[in-house]
Amino acid sequence: MRMDELKQFIENCDNVTILTHKNPDGDTLGCGFALCRCLRLMGKNANVINNDNFPVRYSFLYNDYYVQSFEEQTVIAVDVADTQLLGSRLAEYADKIDLCIDHHISNTNFAKNTYVDAKASAACLILFELFSHLPVLIDDQIAMCLYTGIATDTGCFKFENTTPQAHMACATLMTFNIDFAKINRKMFDVKTKARIKIEERAMNKMEYYFDDRCSIMILTQETILQSGLEQSEFDGLASLALQVEEVQIGITMRERKKGVYKISVRTTEEVNASEFCAKFGGGGHIRAAGCEISGELDDIKQKILKAAKEVVVNI
Amino acid sequence: MRMDELKQFIENCDNVTILTHKNPDGDTLGCGFALCRCLRLMGKNANVINNDNFPVRYSFLYNDYYVQSFEEQTVIAVDVADTQLLGSRLAEYADKIDLCIDHHISNTNFAKNTYVDAKASAACLILFELFSHLPVLIDDQIAMCLYTGIATDTGCFKFENTTPQAHMACATLMTFNIDFAKINRKMFDVKTKARIKIEERAMNKMEYYFDDRCSIMILTQETILQSGLEQSEFDGLASLALQVEEVQIGITMRERKKGVYKISVRTTEEVNASEFCAKFGGGGHIRAAGCEISGELDDIKQKILKAAKEVVVNI
């Protein structure tokens, strides 16, 4: 689908249900509520739905959102790469999606119409362009949604996926009345006490190998239970393993249930995380990948260390 | 001084010594090495100097820098708000500064010519504009210096001082061959083991008061010595006290010598840090200020808690 076709689709659609992905993040929710508001400003009916409850953490995106009553005619998925990511509650929509707007190169083309821009830092960046072609003016609320999606998906403009376009869009979005500094504090700096506690314990127990080129962080069920941390609060914990400058591969071993470890691997440019995890039946991205291994903690650790020793690079 | 006058000054000057501020950060060094390179590309002689050694942490900014030999004719200070910030080694320059380029509203006008733009997120942003008026093309190295200054002074575009202009400039600078993601990892994510250790201990000992609206972090000399942390590694430690969502005032008490505490105060929009510290003879900015108090730890703590109780806001 081209941008002009996408524009036409949006202009012609009505009574829209917008699907966001499960375990929702700033980009999928930013897209959902920005598109919903845009459609409503155009005089159309629209709702946003999700497999889970909308997280309180993102409540500023939907503070003035309300559910509309209408007979659904159009289903649009935003920032959804695969129907599996809709979650069980929205699974019934899997074969009924009229349009998908996404930025994942892995998009499985499940929708009747698909607009994918894999170079876009965030799906919200696609909407930013789309909205400039529509007969509607962005307002403060929409600007806040789009800014949040772009900022969160780029790690506040820190990651490799940040583009000049992302900066340009945010330069424009900042001219609206949005408290971007407060949003960024909420998204990037603020932590729950439980999260602080588990980070502290994790860092305390961090082990370093091969002249600090490899770090291993072990989170047993006991540690996790003691911290009181909820499942949703584990996001980003794996990246702590890369904090020490020399580390090229940071490995987090989280005990999901007795004797079953979820292994999260984060790497710097010297090491391919995806290839590393493939050795253990897992996969993922080049700098962030994962796998699952069952067995005795010490055996698993030795296996992983042996593999890590082969991939770290002497500088 | 207006921008056209600044341009004229730079075009007409030669044999330039560029002064950067002591305890140098990304902005002053980014400015220094970018301006030096720009002047050299214009066929002029220029050197950059600092009170301290250029920190290894910023070595990517000066990897291909070399000292030139010439008879000094012009002295330019960059990102220097006050001659006191030059440090003792450069104090002799205090009354010999021909031009100061700065973005601090507190600039004391110590130079013969001063260009201050207090709205600029970083002094590097002023240079970015200046260079666009000069008969010289920015190269990769200059782009890297300017990007680093802007990114570091805005907390990677996270802080209130980030402007649309900062984003626009970085959109342009990213089109050069610079590894911005690597720079950002180095500037914002990477920590020494000693730093990780002291953060862990500090968070471990963090105390919360008044329904978590006030946090206090105490770093005794013993804790500091045990961590092996160097003076320069304390940057940003105070901001940890604001990590918990409800906290409105985060107070760090660092024992500088036996019985003497450096108090760093960080606040969210509910509390004025500068006014708070003024009560104890200190001062600073509205969200970040400090003071020094001598006495028994417990007495100091009680005094501070009493004052904090008066300023935190019930939500």
Side-chain angles (χ1 to χ4, degrees), chain B residues 168-229:
Chain B
M168 299 282 270
C170 287
T172 303
L173 294 170
M174 280 173 64
T175 64
F176 289 83
N177 184 27
I178 62 175
D179 194 345
F180 65 90
K182 200 170 180 176
I183 294 172
N184 289 333
R185 178 171 131 75
K186 204 175 172 70
M187 295 293 107
F188 301 107
D189 291 342
V190 156
K191 296 171 182 175
T192 61
K193 280 192 196 172
R195 171 70 181 230
I196 289 172
K197 194 162 216 145
I198 205 163
E199 284 194 8
E200 175 204 309
R201 287 197 192 182
M203 293 308 292
N204 197 352
K205 291 185 172 182
M206 188 86 76
E207 300 168 19
Y208 299 93
Y209 296 92
F210 320 131
D211 294 333
D212 295 351
R213 292 194 176 77
C214 170
S215 68
I216 293 197
M217 182 161 80
I218 297 168
L219 300 171
T220 60
Q221 284 213 295
E222 197 191 341
T223 307
I224 295 167
L225 283 173
Q226 277 174 5
S227 74
L229 204 68

Coordinates of all heavy atoms in Angstrom, one line a residue, chain B residues 168-229:
Chain B
M168 N 15.9 19.6 15.5 CA 16.1 19.9 14.1 C 17.6 19.8 13.7 O 18.0 19.3 12.7 CB 15.7 21.3 13.7 CG 14.2 21.6 13.9 SD 13.2 20.9 12.6 CE 13.2 22.4 11.5
A169 N 18.4 20.4 14.6 CA 19.9 20.4 14.4 C 20.4 19.0 14.4 O 21.1 18.6 13.5 CB 20.6 21.2 15.5
C170 N 19.9 18.1 15.3 CA 20.4 16.7 15.4 C 19.9 15.9 14.2 O 20.5 15.0 13.7 CB 20.0 16.1 16.7 SG 21.1 16.8 18.0
A171 N 18.7 16.3 13.7 CA 18.2 15.6 12.4 C 19.2 15.8 11.3 O 19.6 14.9 10.6 CB 16.8 16.1 12.0
T172 N 19.7 17.1 11.2 CA 20.8 17.4 10.2 C 22.1 16.7 10.5 O 22.7 16.1 9.7 CB 21.0 18.9 10.1 OG1 19.7 19.5 9.9 CG2 22.0 19.2 9.1
L173 N 22.5 16.8 11.8 CA 23.8 16.2 12.2 C 23.9 14.7 12.0 O 24.9 14.1 11.7 CB 24.1 16.6 13.6 CG 24.3 18.1 13.9 CD1 24.4 18.4 15.4 CD2 25.6 18.6 13.2
M174 N 22.7 14.0 12.2 CA 22.7 12.6 12.0 C 22.9 12.1 10.5 O 23.1 11.0 10.3 CB 21.3 12.0 12.5 CG 21.2 11.9 14.0 SD 19.6 11.4 14.4 CE 19.4 9.8 13.6
T175 N 22.7 13.1 9.6 CA 22.9 12.7 8.2 C 24.4 12.6 7.9 O 24.8 12.1 6.8 CB 22.3 13.7 7.2 OG1 22.9 15.0 7.4 CG2 20.8 13.9 7.5
F176 N 25.3 13.0 8.8 CA 26.7 12.8 8.7 C 27.0 11.4 9.2 O 26.2 10.7 9.8 CB 27.5 13.8 9.5 CG 27.4 15.2 8.8 CD1 26.3 16.0 9.1 CD2 28.4 15.6 8.0 CE1 26.2 17.3 8.5 CE2 28.3 16.9 7.4 CZ 27.2 17.7 7.6
N177 N 28.2 11.0 8.9 CA 28.6 9.6 9.3 C 29.0 9.6 10.8 O 30.2 9.6 11.1 CB 29.8 9.1 8.4 CG 30.1 7.7 8.7 OD1 29.3 6.9 9.2 ND2 31.4 7.4 8.4
I178 N 28.1 9.6 11.7 CA 28.4 9.6 13.1 C 27.6 8.4 13.7 O 26.5 8.2 13.4 CB 28.1 10.9 13.9 CG1 26.6 11.2 13.8 CG2 28.9 12.0 13.3 CD1 26.2 12.5 14.7
D179 N 28.3 7.7 14.6 CA 27.6 6.6 15.3 C 27.0 7.1 16.6 O 27.4 6.9 17.7 CB 28.7 5.5 15.6 CG 28.1 4.2 16.0 OD1 26.8 4.2 16.3 OD2 28.8 3.2 16.0
F180 N 25.8 7.8 16.3 CA 25.2 8.4 17.5 C 24.7 7.4 18.5 O 24.7 7.7 19.7 CB 24.0 9.3 17.0 CG 22.9 8.5 16.4 CD1 21.8 8.0 17.1 CD2 22.9 8.2 15.0 CE1 20.8 7.2 16.6 CE2 21.9 7.4 14.5 CZ 20.9 6.9 15.3
A181 N 24.3 6.2 18.1 CA 23.8 5.2 19.1 C 25.0 4.8 20.0 O 24.8 4.6 21.2 CB 23.3 4.0 18.4
K182 N 26.2 4.7 19.5 CA 27.3 4.3 20.3 C 27.7 5.5 21.2 O 28.0 5.3 22.4 CB 28.5 4.0 19.3 CG 29.6 3.2 20.0 CD 30.6 2.8 19.0 CE 31.7 1.9 19.6 NZ 32.7 1.4 18.6
I183 N 27.6 6.7 20.7 CA 27.9 7.9 21.6 C 26.9 7.9 22.7 O 27.3 8.1 23.9 CB 27.8 9.2 20.7 CG1 28.9 9.3 19.7 CG2 27.8 10.4 21.7 CD1 28.7 10.4 18.7
N184 N 25.6 7.7 22.4 CA 24.6 7.7 23.5 C 24.8 6.6 24.5 O 24.6 6.8 25.7 CB 23.2 7.7 22.8 CG 22.9 8.9 22.1 OD1 23.4 10.0 22.4 ND2 22.0 8.8 21.1
R185 N 25.2 5.4 24.0 CA 25.4 4.3 25.0 C 26.5 4.8 25.9 O 26.4 4.6 27.1 CB 25.8 3.1 24.2 CG 26.1 1.9 25.1 CD 26.2 0.6 24.4 NE 27.5 -0.2 24.7 CZ 27.7 -0.8 25.9 NH1 26.7 -0.9 26.8 NH2 28.8 -1.4 26.1
K186 N 27.6 5.3 25.3 CA 28.7 5.7 26.1 C 28.4 6.8 27.1 O 28.8 6.8 28.3 CB 29.8 6.2 25.2 CG 31.2 6.1 25.8 CD 32.3 6.5 24.7 CE 33.6 6.7 25.3 NZ 34.2 5.4 25.7
M187 N 27.6 7.8 26.7 CA 27.3 8.9 27.5 C 26.2 8.6 28.5 O 26.2 9.2 29.6 CB 26.8 10.1 26.6 CG 27.8 10.7 25.7 SD 29.2 11.5 26.5 CE 30.5 10.3 26.3
F188 N 25.2 7.8 28.2 CA 24.1 7.6 29.1 C 23.9 6.2 29.7 O 23.3 6.1 30.8 CB 22.8 8.0 28.3 CG 22.8 9.4 27.8 CD1 23.0 9.6 26.4 CD2 22.7 10.5 28.6 CE1 23.0 10.9 25.9 CE2 22.7 11.7 28.2 CZ 22.9 12.0 26.8
D189 N 24.4 5.2 29.1 CA 24.1 3.8 29.6 C 25.3 3.2 30.4 O 25.1 2.4 31.3 CB 23.7 2.9 28.5 CG 22.3 3.3 28.0 OD1 21.6 4.0 28.7 OD2 22.0 2.8 26.9
V190 N 26.5 3.5 29.9 CA 27.7 2.8 30.4 C 28.1 3.3 31.8 O 28.1 4.5 32.0 CB 28.8 2.8 29.4 CG1 30.2 2.7 30.0 CG2 28.6 1.8 28.3
K191 N 28.5 2.4 32.6 CA 28.9 2.8 34.0 C 30.1 2.0 34.4 O 30.3 0.9 33.9 CB 27.8 2.6 35.0 CG 26.6 3.4 34.8 CD 25.5 3.0 35.7 CE 24.2 3.8 35.4 NZ 23.1 3.3 36.1
T192 N 31.0 2.6 35.2 CA 32.1 1.8 35.8 C 31.5 0.9 36.8 O 30.4 1.1 37.4 CB 33.2 2.7 36.4 OG1 32.5 3.4 37.5 CG2 33.7 3.7 35.4
K193 N 32.3 -0.2 37.2 CA 31.8 -1.1 38.2 C 31.6 -0.4 39.5 O 30.7 -0.6 40.3 CB 32.8 -2.3 38.3 CG 32.6 -3.3 37.3 CD 33.4 -4.5 37.7 CE 33.6 -5.5 36.6 NZ 34.6 -6.5 37.0
A194 N 32.6 0.6 39.8 CA 32.5 1.3 41.1 C 31.2 2.1 41.1 O 30.6 2.2 42.1 CB 33.7 2.2 41.2
R195 N 30.9 2.7 40.0 CA 29.6 3.5 39.9 C 28.4 2.6 40.2 O 27.5 3.0 40.9 CB 29.5 4.2 38.6 CG 28.2 4.9 38.3 CD 28.0 6.2 39.1 NE 26.8 6.8 38.9 CZ 26.6 8.1 38.6 NH1 27.7 8.9 38.6 NH2 25.4 8.6 38.3
I196 N 28.4 1.5 39.5 CA 27.3 0.5 39.7 C 27.2 0.2 41.2 O 26.1 0.1 41.8 CB 27.5 -0.7 38.8 CG1 27.3 -0.3 37.4 CG2 26.5 -1.8 39.2 CD1 27.6 -1.4 36.4
K197 N 28.3 -0.1 41.8 CA 28.3 -0.5 43.2 C 27.8 0.6 44.1 O 27.0 0.4 45.0 CB 29.8 -0.8 43.6 CG 29.9 -1.5 44.9 CD 31.2 -2.2 45.1 CE 31.1 -3.5 45.8 NZ 32.1 -4.5 45.2
I198 N 28.2 1.9 43.9 CA 27.7 2.9 44.7 C 26.2 3.2 44.5 O 25.5 3.5 45.4 CB 28.6 4.2 44.7 CG1 28.5 4.9 46.0 CG2 28.2 5.1 43.5 CD1 29.5 5.9 46.3
E199 N 25.8 3.1 43.3 CA 24.4 3.3 43.0 C 23.5 2.2 43.7 O 22.5 2.5 44.3 CB 24.1 3.2 41.5 CG 24.5 4.4 40.7 CD 23.9 4.4 39.3 OE1 23.1 3.6 39.0 OE2 24.3 5.3 38.5
E200 N 24.1 1.0 43.7 CA 23.4 -0.1 44.3 C 23.3 0.2 45.9 O 22.2 0.0 46.5 CB 24.2 -1.3 44.0 CG 23.8 -2.6 44.7 CD 25.1 -3.5 44.8 OE1 25.7 -3.7 43.7 OE2 25.4 -4.0 45.9
R201 N 24.4 0.6 46.4 CA 24.4 0.9 47.9 C 23.5 2.1 48.2 O 22.8 2.1 49.2 CB 25.8 1.2 48.4 CG 26.6 -0.1 48.4 CD 27.8 0.1 49.2 NE 28.7 -1.1 49.0 CZ 29.8 -1.3 49.5 NH1 30.3 -0.5 50.4 NH2 30.5 -2.4 49.2
A202 N 23.6 3.1 47.4 CA 22.8 4.3 47.6 C 21.3 4.0 47.6 O 20.5 4.4 48.4 CB 23.1 5.4 46.6
M203 N 20.9 3.2 46.5 CA 19.5 2.8 46.4 C 19.0 2.0 47.6 O 17.9 2.1 48.0 CB 19.2 2.1 45.1 CG 19.4 3.0 43.8 SD 18.5 4.6 43.9 CE 16.8 4.0 43.7
N204 N 20.0 1.1 48.0 CA 19.7 0.2 49.1 C 19.4 1.0 50.4 O 18.6 0.6 51.2 CB 20.9 -0.7 49.3 CG 20.6 -1.9 50.1 OD1 19.5 -2.0 50.7 ND2 21.6 -2.8 50.2
K205 N 20.1 2.1 50.5 CA 20.0 2.9 51.8 C 19.0 4.0 51.6 O 18.9 4.9 52.5 CB 21.3 3.4 52.2 CG 22.3 2.3 52.6 CD 23.6 2.9 53.1 CE 24.5 1.9 53.8 NZ 25.7 2.4 54.3
M206 N 18.3 4.1 50.5 CA 17.4 5.3 50.3 C 16.3 5.2 51.3 O 15.7 4.2 51.5 CB 16.9 5.2 48.8 CG 16.0 6.4 48.4 SD 17.1 7.6 47.7 CE 17.5 7.0 46.1
E207 N 16.0 6.4 51.9 CA 14.9 6.4 52.9 C 13.8 7.3 52.3 O 14.1 8.3 51.6 CB 15.4 7.0 54.2 CG 16.5 6.2 54.8 CD 17.2 7.0 55.9 OE1 16.6 8.0 56.5 OE2 18.4 6.7 56.3
Y208 N 12.6 6.9 52.6 CA 11.4 7.6 52.1 C 10.6 8.2 53.2 O 10.4 7.6 54.2 CB 10.6 6.7 51.2 CG 11.3 6.2 50.0 CD1 12.0 5.0 50.0 CD2 11.4 6.9 48.8 CE1 12.7 4.5 49.0 CE2 12.1 6.5 47.7 CZ 12.8 5.3 47.8 OH 13.5 4.8 46.7
Y209 N 10.1 9.4 53.0 CA 9.3 10.1 54.0 C 8.1 10.8 53.4 O 8.0 11.0 52.2 CB 10.2 11.2 54.7 CG 11.3 10.6 55.5 CD1 12.6 10.5 54.8 CD2 11.2 10.2 56.8 CE1 13.7 9.9 55.5 CE2 12.3 9.6 57.5 CZ 13.5 9.5 56.8 OH 14.6 8.9 57.5
F210 N 7.1 11.1 54.3 CA 5.9 11.8 53.9 C 5.2 11.2 52.7 O 5.1 11.8 51.6 CB 6.3 13.3 53.6 CG 7.2 13.9 54.5 CD1 8.4 14.6 54.1 CD2 7.1 13.7 55.9 CE1 9.3 15.1 55.0 CE2 8.0 14.2 56.8 CZ 9.1 14.9 56.3
D211 N 4.8 9.9 52.9 CA 4.1 9.2 51.8 C 4.9 9.1 50.5 O 4.4 9.3 49.4 CB 2.7 9.8 51.5 CG 1.8 9.6 52.6 OD1 2.0 8.7 53.4 OD2 0.9 10.5 52.8
D212 N 6.2 8.9 50.7 CA 7.2 8.8 49.6 C 7.4 10.1 48.8 O 7.9 10.1 47.7 CB 6.7 7.7 48.6 CG 6.8 6.3 49.2 OD1 7.3 6.2 50.4 OD2 6.3 5.4 48.6
R213 N 6.9 11.2 49.3 CA 7.1 12.5 48.6 C 8.5 13.0 48.7 O 9.0 13.9 48.0 CB 6.1 13.5 49.0 CG 4.7 13.1 48.5 CD 3.7 14.2 48.6 NE 2.4 13.6 48.1 CZ 1.6 12.8 48.7 NH1 1.9 12.4 50.0 NH2 0.5 12.4 48.2
C214 N 9.2 12.5 49.7 CA 10.6 13.0 50.0 C 11.5 11.7 50.1 O 11.2 10.8 50.8 CB 10.7 13.8 51.3 SG 12.3 14.2 51.8
S215 N 12.7 11.8 49.4 CA 13.6 10.7 49.6 C 15.0 11.3 50.0 O 15.3 12.4 49.6 CB 13.8 9.9 48.2 OG 14.5 10.7 47.3
I216 N 15.6 10.5 50.8 CA 17.0 10.9 51.3 C 18.0 9.8 51.1 O 17.7 8.6 51.4 CB 17.0 11.3 52.8 CG1 16.1 12.6 53.0 CG2 18.4 11.6 53.3 CD1 16.4 13.3 54.3
M217 N 19.1 10.2 50.4 CA 20.1 9.2 50.2 C 21.4 9.7 50.9 O 21.8 10.8 50.7 CB 20.3 9.2 48.7 CG 21.4 8.2 48.2 SD 21.1 7.9 46.4 CE 21.9 9.3 45.7
I218 N 21.9 8.9 51.7 CA 23.1 9.3 52.5 C 24.3 8.5 52.1 O 24.4 7.3 52.1 CB 22.8 9.1 54.0 CG1 21.7 10.0 54.4 CG2 24.1 9.4 54.8 CD1 21.1 9.7 55.8
L219 N 25.4 9.3 51.7 CA 26.6 8.7 51.3 C 27.7 9.1 52.2 O 28.2 10.2 52.2 CB 27.0 9.1 49.9 CG 26.0 8.8 48.7 CD1 26.4 9.4 47.4 CD2 26.0 7.2 48.5
T220 N 28.0 8.2 53.2 CA 29.1 8.5 54.1 C 30.4 8.3 53.5 O 30.5 7.7 52.4 CB 29.0 7.6 55.4 OG1 29.1 6.3 54.9 CG2 27.6 7.8 56.1
Q221 N 31.4 8.9 54.1 CA 32.8 8.7 53.6 C 33.1 7.2 53.5 O 33.8 6.8 52.6 CB 33.8 9.4 54.5 CG 33.8 10.9 54.3 CD 35.1 11.5 54.5 OE1 35.7 11.5 55.6 NE2 35.7 12.0 53.4
E222 N 32.6 6.4 54.4 CA 32.9 5.0 54.4 C 32.4 4.3 53.2 O 33.1 3.6 52.5 CB 32.3 4.4 55.7 CG 32.8 3.0 56.1 CD 32.0 2.4 57.1 OE1 31.2 3.1 57.8 OE2 32.0 1.1 57.2
T223 N 31.1 4.6 52.9 CA 30.5 4.1 51.7 C 31.2 4.5 50.4 O 31.5 3.6 49.5 CB 29.0 4.6 51.5 OG1 28.3 4.3 52.8 CG2 28.3 3.9 50.4
I224 N 31.6 5.7 50.4 CA 32.3 6.2 49.2 C 33.7 5.6 49.0 O 34.0 5.1 47.9 CB 32.5 7.8 49.3 CG1 31.1 8.4 49.2 CG2 33.3 8.3 48.1 CD1 31.1 9.9 49.7
L225 N 34.4 5.5 50.1 CA 35.7 4.8 50.1 C 35.6 3.4 49.6 O 36.4 2.9 48.8 CB 36.4 4.9 51.4 CG 37.0 6.3 51.7 CD1 37.5 6.4 53.1 CD2 38.2 6.6 50.7
Q226 N 34.6 2.7 50.2 CA 34.4 1.3 49.9 C 34.2 1.0 48.4 O 34.6 0.1 47.8 CB 33.3 0.7 50.7 CG 33.7 0.2 52.1 CD 32.5 -0.2 52.9 OE1 31.4 -0.2 52.4 NE2 32.7 -0.5 54.2
S227 N 33.5 2.0 47.8 CA 33.1 1.8 46.4 C 34.2 2.1 45.4 O 34.2 1.6 44.3 CB 31.9 2.8 46.0 OG 32.5 4.1 45.9
G228 N 35.2 2.8 45.9 CA 36.4 3.1 45.0 C 36.0 4.2 44.0 O 36.8 4.3 43.0
L229 N 34.9 4.9 44.1 CA 34.5 5.8 43.1 C 35.3 7.1 43.1 O 35.7 7.6 44.2 CB 33.0 6.2 43.4 CG 32.2 6.7 42.3 CD1 32.0 5.6 41.3 CD2 30.9 7.3 42.7

